[in-house]
Amino acid sequence: MAAPPRRPLLTLLAGLLVVASLATLAEAIYEDQVGLADWHQKYIGKVKQAVYHSQKSGRRRVVVLTEENVIASLDLRSGDIFWRHVIDKNDLLDQLSLSLGKYVLTLSSGGTILRAWNLPDGQMIWETNLQTSTASNPQLHVMFRLDDGFMLYQALMDQFHGKRSFLLMGIARSSKLALYHLSAKTGEVLKDIQESLPGELSGEIVLGSDDVLVALNKARSSLFLIKFNSGRISYNKVHVSDLVQDLSGTFKLQSLSNGVIALQTPSTVSLLKLKDTDGLEVVQRFDQPAALSDALTIAEKDQAFAVVRHVGSQIEFIVKFTSDVSSEIIREKVNIDQHRGNVEKVFLNSYIRTDKSHGFRALVVMEDHSLLLIQQGKVVWSREDGLASIVDVTTSELPVEKDGVSVADVEHNLFEWLKGHMLKLKGTLMLANADEVAAIQALRLKSSEKNKMTRDHNGFRKLLIVLTKAGKVIALHTGDGRIIWSNLLPSLRASRFGVMPSALRIYQWQVPHHSVMRENPSVLVVGKSGAESSAPGVFSILDSYSGEELNAMKLDHSVVQIIPLTLKDLSEQRLHLIVDSNSNAHLYPKSPDALDVFLHEMPNLYFYSVDILANVIRGYSLQKSCDIEGDEYCFSTKELWSIIFPSDSERIAISETRKMNEVVHTQAKTIGDHDVMYKYLSKNLVFVATVSPKAAGDIGSALPEEASLVAYLIDAVTGRILHRVTHHGAQGPIHAVLSENWVVYHYFNLRAHRFEMAVIEIYDQSRADNKDVMKLILGKHNLSAPITSYAGPEVVVKSQSYFFTHSVKAMAVTQTAKGITSKQLLIGTISDQVLALDKRYLDPRRSANPTQQEKEEGIIPLTDSLPIIPQSFVTHSHQVEALRGIVSIPAKLESTTLVFTYGVDLFYTQLAPSRTYDSLTDEFSYALLLITIAVLVAAIIVTWIWSKKKELRDKWR
């Protein structure tokens, strides 16, 4: 009897293979198209000027100009960005205005560049250079003669409306007032008057009325009322103390037209009105911090202005007419987030209600740089534009997920799991309809669990804790970039006219082990209470999970250098050294336990400082004594060495060192011929680059013969120069990154007219004897010998340089948990994108014709330039406008690193430099795998039964 055919079994196995291949293909398409692991957020920065464009039909918008040098058009209904342009910092935007209802005019570079933009789409129409002999104030104040009166204009392009003459007023040498009567037709000076004032002016002048100017004297104690009458100048002096009795601190003036002037202090606002021409009188005073808008024309002869002030936990929105300051059109109270600080600027706008009356809305700029639109007693929308000015970043782990769950939850989750995988199976077999495909995508987003507020086993879910220029700390979830908490630190808040504290850095302060301690992790924010180097420092410690300020202190010393240490006390608080302007080092936290740990390790602690102005690098050790009596946490420093660069030939451009938390997997590097090279892995290695003085400017500021760049590798303990190389005809800007035993730096080659990237690798030749296997067996190797900088290591250096296509804004290197994964350079290009470049392309041992052994090692053949692979752009098609920094954060999964890029925009993604060799993807279909295994097991059982039956039949023959 013939054996039965095997076709059904083969067909079944082939089908299973097809299903598995389709599953892999579908997963790859999904990951490539959707990109669940990254997010991109767009911002504009702190608004300093806004112009409304409200029309009866079409989109209502507001055009803004910001401190981040951004011009943008925002949707007035939602706050979304219609369009925006980020202008280079060398071309600072000064003023903004609208023209003819369809053009946006911008004045920049100190009033020398005028541009016109198309209002609907933001396209630039034209640009012109305005020739000026000297740097001038970009605002032009012109007194126009209108029916024997005066009016103050600030728009550069205003026409004279056919008037025959106009007046121009100016101040010379802060004490002389000049008045020029000019012909509007020819510009001829018809008459000029110069009048000396009894005292110097501060330069702050506002228009009090049609023919009266109000000027503040240099001592800021008196106001001059300057009147123009028939070409004559007269003035009257009013003491500020006679108007406001308890005035304290600095103040500024603001004109509201119709003879109304606002006198603003950090805590009060006083409304003043001209009393004939002889003086001023106070008509109303607000005792809370407040901000005033400019006057807005409502009727032919009347204008309105807004006052926004804090009242308890709310802000109050008040609108008044300048003709009757005592009355109010609107008074509304609005609830806002208390972590936004005081109101700094207000831009008022009006609209016509259905009953034909005037309604008002206000664009409000808060102290934390956020932007709000207030209308009808509520916040219509808000923008967190403080994130456009991040100064530092750190991370925090999320809480551990708590054990214990109800049976109902288990049953529900099991049902959802089965339902989801059945849908995915239908999608894999291409049997799903459109609704099911949408459900599959929704389930993928939900099942990715990237937005949960607990840590995951791969270490992908974290908190990005950022410090902004405004002194606000914001925690972002890596899953989708949403804000978890924010806190505007009181210690870093400044009055609007007083001394401005500055936020410096943010560090991890306490990182407790979750299995031992129940405390939440915390972060440390360090700042200064002023701009001077001697200004006292400011400390603030915040809970990483809630943002609550746990402790704040104003230090009794300055902050010149912050040195985070690798040491921890018993409570897992990390030790920090703060070096002040007197070269004393202060230990924090100030606890006996921290002091004991520090004193035990102090003989092995060294640090260095780079003084760019003095062109010198110094190395220090710590001494037990300090000049401050009774402070056992203060330590004096001893200068051990210094390197003074000759200022006539070299200027320090940049210095870099290794990241404190960098993990190196192995010291040895095996090359193609099975030889071993040992990396020089001293954490005291410092890279310093200098340029010739003439090459310190922009590209092209020096001839190739005048330009040079010198790169140094210096030991920070002894000051020994381990390596020095000179690049003739090269200049900055220089960007560098130092990792393990190598440094990569980027510069411009004037001779080749191209950018270059150079690499230096340094190896420890003193450990070369460890290659002897017998010494390893007999224990005579020196791998366990302590490394000391005073031993004078024998080093071998390998270097190479390559052409690189792009200019660079920032550089970083990928960091992984164990340091096993191959390194990639993260390069922020001039196009505001991030390129991931494999470190193998920057191997100094590359040659044009590598040997077979070198090919087996993976060395890439030498080319004169580094490749730019479009698929290697981490940011894909996105741009991180005004890119400033790139941060690489290790995940628990060794193959993956988390990359955060910030500028005016934010971008986050996950990167696997050597691909995900140690895990399955989040979208791997476990259900399909189980079904496949079950079918294979069933097939094996069926085949075994069939084989037994066949064997039995064969025996009966």
Side-chain angles (χ1 to χ4, degrees), residues 605-620:
L605 295 179
Y606 301 85
F607 70 95
Y608 71 97
S609 66
V610 179
D611 190 337
I612 295 180
L613 296 178
N615 214 33
V616 61
I617 302 177
R618 296 183 177 90
Y620 301 89

Side-chain angles (χ1 to χ4, degrees), residues 602-705:
M602 191 178 72
N604 298 321
L605 295 179
Y606 301 85
F607 70 95
Y608 71 97
S609 66
V610 179
D611 190 337
I612 295 180
L613 296 178
N615 214 33
V616 61
I617 302 177
R618 296 183 177 90
Y620 301 89
S621 64
L622 297 168
Q623 306 294 319
K624 292 184 179 180
S625 61
C626 184
D627 296 336
I628 303 175
E629 295 183 2
D631 190 352
E632 59 181 339
Y633 300 97
C634 176
F635 302 88
S636 62
T637 59
K638 178 182 178 181
E639 183 177 325
L640 299 178
W641 57 267
S642 64
I643 300 176
I644 303 174
F645 297 94
S647 299
D648 57 343
S649 60
E650 295 183 56
R651 299 294 302 176
I652 297 176
I654 190 176
S655 65
E656 288 290 337
T657 187
R658 283 176 56 189
K659 298 293 184 184
M660 183 183 66
N661 59 348
E662 183 183 37
V663 179
V664 180
H665 175 62
T666 178
Q667 182 184 0
K669 179 179 180 179
T670 305
I671 58 179
D673 58 358
H674 304 294
D675 197 2
V676 178
M677 302 176 68
Y678 291 93
K679 304 173 186 176
Y680 184 79
L681 295 177
S682 172
K683 289 189 176 182
N684 300 311
L685 185 65
V686 180
F687 169 78
V688 177
T690 65
V691 294
S692 56
K694 291 186 177 181
D698 296 332
I699 294 176
S701 60
L703 298 174
E705 296 78 15

Side-chain angles (χ1 to χ4, degrees), residues 35 104 106 114 116 131 156 205 218 231 264 297 336 342 363 376 390 421 489 537 605 634 669 783 806 864 873 894:
V104 179
T106 59
L114 184 66
Q131 300 298 327
L156 183 67
I205 302 176
K218 193 170 185 179
Q264 301 182 62
T297 301
I336 65 165
N342 292 328
L363 202 64
Q376 296 180 348
I390 293 175
H421 281 287
L489 300 180
L605 295 179
C634 176
K669 179 179 180 179
L783 281 177
H806 294 284
D864 62 346
F873 281 98
E894 169 57 28

Side-chain angles (χ1 to χ4, degrees), residues 19 417-425 923-935:
V19 168
W417 183 84
L418 291 173
K419 177 183 175 182
H421 281 287
M422 289 305 297
L423 280 173
K424 290 179 183 179
L425 181 60
E923 289 303 309
F924 183 80
S925 180
Y926 293 96
L928 183 59
L929 177 63
L930 291 176
I931 292 172
T932 303
I933 293 173
V935 171

Side-chain angles (χ1 to χ4, degrees), residues 800-803 841 846-848 860-867:
Q800 184 63 272
S801 61
Y802 306 89
F803 289 126
Y841 287 109
R846 288 178 63 186
S847 60
I860 302 171
L862 179 65
T863 56
D864 62 346
S865 61
L866 297 171

Side-chain angles (χ1 to χ4, degrees), residues 265-302:
T265 73
S267 58
T268 64
V269 173
S270 299
L271 298 180
L272 313 178
K273 192 171 182 64
L274 284 173
K275 186 172 59 177
D276 296 327
T277 58
D278 299 329
L280 293 165
E281 61 177 345
V282 178
V283 293
Q284 191 171 5
R285 173 170 170 167
F286 300 96
D287 291 327
Q288 294 85 9
L292 280 77
S293 71
D294 291 330
L296 176 69
T297 301
I298 301 299
E300 183 178 351
K301 294 184 179 180
D302 210 350

